[in-house]
Amino acid sequence: SQTQTSGNEQPVQKIYNVVERVGIEISDYEELYGKLYEIANQVNNSMVTVTGITNDTDWFNNNYENKGQTSGLIFADNGKEYLILAESSKVLDVEEISVTFSDNSVVSGKLMKYDAKSGLAIISVAMEDMQESTLSTVTKATLGNSRYITQGSLVIAIGSPLGYMNSISYGVVTSSKNEIHLPDWNIGVLGTDIYGSSEGSGILINLKGEVIGFINQNLQSADDNSLLTFLSISDLKDIIEKLSNEQDLAYLGVKGMDITQSISELNDVPVGAYVQEVVIDSPAMYNGIQSGDVIVKIGSEEIKSFTDLEKELLKHSPEEKSVITVMRLGKDGYTEMSFNVTYGK
């Protein structure tokens, strides 16, 4: 800096900024990817391989084993068992479930509960069946808040996103506002620029090593061009908690959306959970609920959004009954109707 004066004027200080241009070297990339790998590696001890085994017989009457594999995530324990989140399609109707840990030790697992709509299953492994060396390396993953994830966020996919176990991919989130509409549940999806396999499975983590997404390729659309999308973990937490408590989810069988106050005023539709589709052979269909109905009450609880509907259904179990109140459009406008519904599974 320099100080200049002119006559009786106060000194004027001039500041000169010197900008040094620094080039990016290959070593900088190596360091960056090394740090990303460190984050992924810390979570790897929470990852397992879940194998569903079925015995079968070929044309020549020879016995052989059918095996289906998927990545699993250790997310909790109850003091006696580790609880593992996995894709249900690989562990249903199998004769045996084996779990392979990060140290390659193999232990028998048990299917606790599963949810057919979201495709999630909870597998348990008894701690007493595990080796001490395995117990000392196992870590429980931290389920993060995927609602804070925005476009451009750096993320890491681990598990078997490329279709083979213990694979890792890096990328960014390309979309965070889309949803998959499942029966009784709307789940946010995180789109990425990560290429994967149609047989891929695993999780998505942020740069804190927190789990923010879960791969379920069975819910992928056919035009995804092999780009991986992940179910938002924040939208799965309530389902995971109920399944972990060995409780089945009540099944109504509607797909829908919110009718907010602004949508209501703009389209002259009652506030509530709008039914876009009634699933064939569902309790909703059998009991008279129709597409176009707006669900406004379950029992005495007011329903002002589809999220309210989701939360209320979590309070119930299969075979329980509820009076569900809807507003239905007729020639004289919307009319209130009530239905006695027995939930399914």
Side-chain angles (χ1 to χ4, degrees), residues 175-232:
S175 63
S176 60
K177 302 298 183 183
N178 296 324
E179 287 185 332
I180 290 177
H181 295 270
L182 303 177
D184 307 333
W185 211 269
N186 292 337
I187 299 177
V189 294
L190 301 175
T192 71
D193 64 352
I194 300 173
Y195 280 89
S197 166
S198 60
E199 298 298 320
S201 60
I203 61 171
L204 191 70
I205 61 175
N206 60 21
L207 298 189
K208 295 179 181 178
E210 300 168 334
V211 180
I212 56 171
F214 188 82
I215 298 177
N216 189 326
Q217 294 293 63
N218 292 327
L219 299 177
Q220 296 277 84
S221 62
D223 59 352
D224 278 330
N225 296 321
S226 299
L227 290 175
L228 294 178
T229 58
F230 297 77
L231 303 183
S232 165

Side-chain angles (χ1 to χ4, degrees), residues 238-299:
D238 288 335
I239 298 175
I240 293 170
E241 181 179 359
K242 188 149 189 175
L243 296 177
S244 299
N245 291 325
E246 298 194 73
Q247 298 174 329
D248 291 313
L249 278 73
Y251 174 50
L252 177 61
V254 296
K255 297 182 180 181
M257 58 177 284
D258 296 344
I259 299 295
T260 62
Q261 189 64 46
S262 58
I263 294 175
S264 172
E265 293 171 359
L266 185 63
N267 297 283
D268 197 24
V269 179
V271 172
Y274 181 78
V275 178
Q276 294 174 298
E277 180 184 343
V278 175
V279 180
I280 294 174
D281 294 333
S282 67
M285 189 195 79
Y286 286 134
N287 288 278
I289 296 175
Q290 298 178 3
S291 299
D293 288 347
V294 181
I295 298 174
V296 296
K297 194 179 291 186
I298 295 182

Side-chain angles (χ1 to χ4, degrees), residues 20-286:
E20 181 183 359
R21 295 185 178 274
V22 179
I24 297 177
E25 302 294 335
I26 292 176
S27 58
D28 296 318
Y29 282 101
E30 290 176 339
E31 183 179 358
L32 171 63
Y33 279 99
K35 289 181 178 180
L36 291 173
Y37 178 75
E38 286 178 12
I39 296 169
N41 203 38
Q42 289 171 4
V43 185
N44 266 334
N45 285 336
S46 303
M47 299 301 297
V48 297
T49 300
V50 178
T51 305
I53 303 170
T54 304
N55 292 309
D56 212 335
T57 306
D58 63 18
W59 289 96
F60 301 101
N61 221 26
N62 296 316
N63 293 325
Y64 68 96
E65 289 184 340
N66 255 331
K67 295 183 178 181
Q69 288 189 329
T70 186
S71 294
L73 175 73
I74 303 170
F75 69 94
D77 72 75
N78 56 20
K80 294 183 178 179
E81 300 168 310
Y82 277 113
L83 305 186
I84 297 165
L85 181 66
E87 198 175 317
S88 63
S89 62
K90 304 297 184 182
V91 294
L92 296 182
D93 302 319
V94 299
E95 297 172 18
E96 182 184 348
I97 296 173
S98 69
V99 176
T100 306
F101 291 87
S102 58
D103 65 350
N104 292 321
S105 63
V106 181
V107 181
S108 292
K110 180 182 71 173
L111 176 63
M112 290 177 61
K113 286 290 179 182
Y114 73 94
D115 174 44
K117 300 184 293 294
S118 62
L120 298 179
I122 305 296
I123 310 296
S124 66
V125 172
M127 293 180 179
E128 64 180 12
D129 294 339
M130 298 169 62
Q131 301 172 10
E132 287 296 328
S133 58
T134 304
L135 288 169
S136 65
T137 60
V138 164
T139 58
K140 292 178 292 184
T142 300
L143 303 185
N145 190 338
S146 51
R147 297 194 176 103
Y148 288 138
I149 300 300
T150 57
Q151 282 181 314
S153 297
L154 290 170
V155 287
I156 306 170
I158 64 175
S160 55
L162 303 178
Y164 51 86
M165 297 300 161
N166 301 316
S167 51
I168 300 175
S169 295
Y170 309 103
V172 299
V173 172
T174 55
S175 63
S176 60
K177 302 298 183 183
N178 296 324
E179 287 185 332
I180 290 177
H181 295 270
L182 303 177
D184 307 333
W185 211 269
N186 292 337
I187 299 177
V189 294
L190 301 175
T192 71
D193 64 352
I194 300 173
Y195 280 89
S197 166
S198 60
E199 298 298 320
S201 60
I203 61 171
L204 191 70
I205 61 175
N206 60 21
L207 298 189
K208 295 179 181 178
E210 300 168 334
V211 180
I212 56 171
F214 188 82
I215 298 177
N216 189 326
Q217 294 293 63
N218 292 327
L219 299 177
Q220 296 277 84
S221 62
D223 59 352
D224 278 330
N225 296 321
S226 299
L227 290 175
L228 294 178
T229 58
F230 297 77
L231 303 183
S232 165
I233 203 68
S234 293
D235 293 337
L236 298 176
K237 284 181 179 178
D238 288 335
I239 298 175
I240 293 170
E241 181 179 359
K242 188 149 189 175
L243 296 177
S244 299
N245 291 325
E246 298 194 73
Q247 298 174 329
D248 291 313
L249 278 73
Y251 174 50
L252 177 61
V254 296
K255 297 182 180 181
M257 58 177 284
D258 296 344
I259 299 295
T260 62
Q261 189 64 46
S262 58
I263 294 175
S264 172
E265 293 171 359
L266 185 63
N267 297 283
D268 197 24
V269 179
V271 172
Y274 181 78
V275 178
Q276 294 174 298
E277 180 184 343
V278 175
V279 180
I280 294 174
D281 294 333
S282 67
M285 189 195 79
Y286 286 134

